[in-house]
Amino acid sequence: METLQLERRGFALDLSLDFHDMHSWNVFRGTFQQTIDSEKIAAMGRQVLAHGFIEPLTGSIAKPEEIIAGSGLREGLSYQGIASRVRAVLSASERAMAESGVVSARAYAPEAMSAFAMKLKAHFPRCISTEYTTDPEERDWLYPIPFGDLSDLFLESDRFDLACTSDLLEYVPSMDDALAELRRILAPGGWHIGTVSFRYLHQDSERRAERIGDRIVHHLEAIHNGPPDSAKGTLMFEQPGWDILDRARAAGFRKAFMRFHLSARHGILAEDTGGVFVLCCQK
């Protein structure tokens, strides 16, 4: 466990820590929960709503009247369509590019229609985004946005400084294939940074469904993610545990860790843990 930053201002706690395994997280968690509890995290959320925050990467000032509280902290505190969880990815991306000395990153972001991808494209002129669908009519409607299967991308190898995902890997039939493909397109020293629906209390990932030929076999009750008007949304195949770090290393990444980020300054909070976990993998 590496301590990167710790600054306390009453309930305004700025915390950024890297965890390379579940054990180091458990050691920290036992101490941390004695220092800050759910009431203090809720108080920080109210502070963010009352005073605003600074958006990572862009430096944009989110004024209180521009922030949408939402139904929870991780998926809420939304500013220009960017929730707390996604700001954690922006923050980790900003740091990774700064430490790598990259001034104008060549970046990749799937989910081209999302506010997150649009934010990255506005900040990084050399950013390409893709969309994925199995519906021919929807694919035609999305044109000219490039089609991109995260486990079999059309992009060149060894080209990108940054590849970002946001709660996406768990919806790809093979998370291992997706990790390997993200590593393939990254240049040496490049970073994959993103969030997942993380089982932070468990070492092992949970396989919920798998694709066998043309069939989907369900091992647990189906979980879907999608827009409110979607009939079902996208199926979650696997919910990652701490073993995702070993699997990222097995895919060829030389570094893989979870960054735990909690920041009132940047409006990054989560209700269960206080902060947001961000998967950081360097080629």
Side-chain angles (χ1 to χ4, degrees), residues 115-133:
F116 175 52
M118 293 179 186
K119 182 80 67 175
L120 288 177
K121 285 187 286 186
H123 189 79
F124 298 118
R126 295 188 299 165
C127 178
I128 185 171
S129 294
T130 59
E131 278 286 354
Y132 176 80
T133 179

Side-chain angles (χ1 to χ4, degrees), residues 32 45 52 55 75 89 92 97 117 132 135-136 146 189 204 219 225 251 255:
F32 180 65
E55 183 177 66
E75 302 301 321
V89 178
M97 293 302 94
Y132 176 80
D135 185 336
D204 296 331
H219 302 297
N225 185 28
K255 287 184 181 179

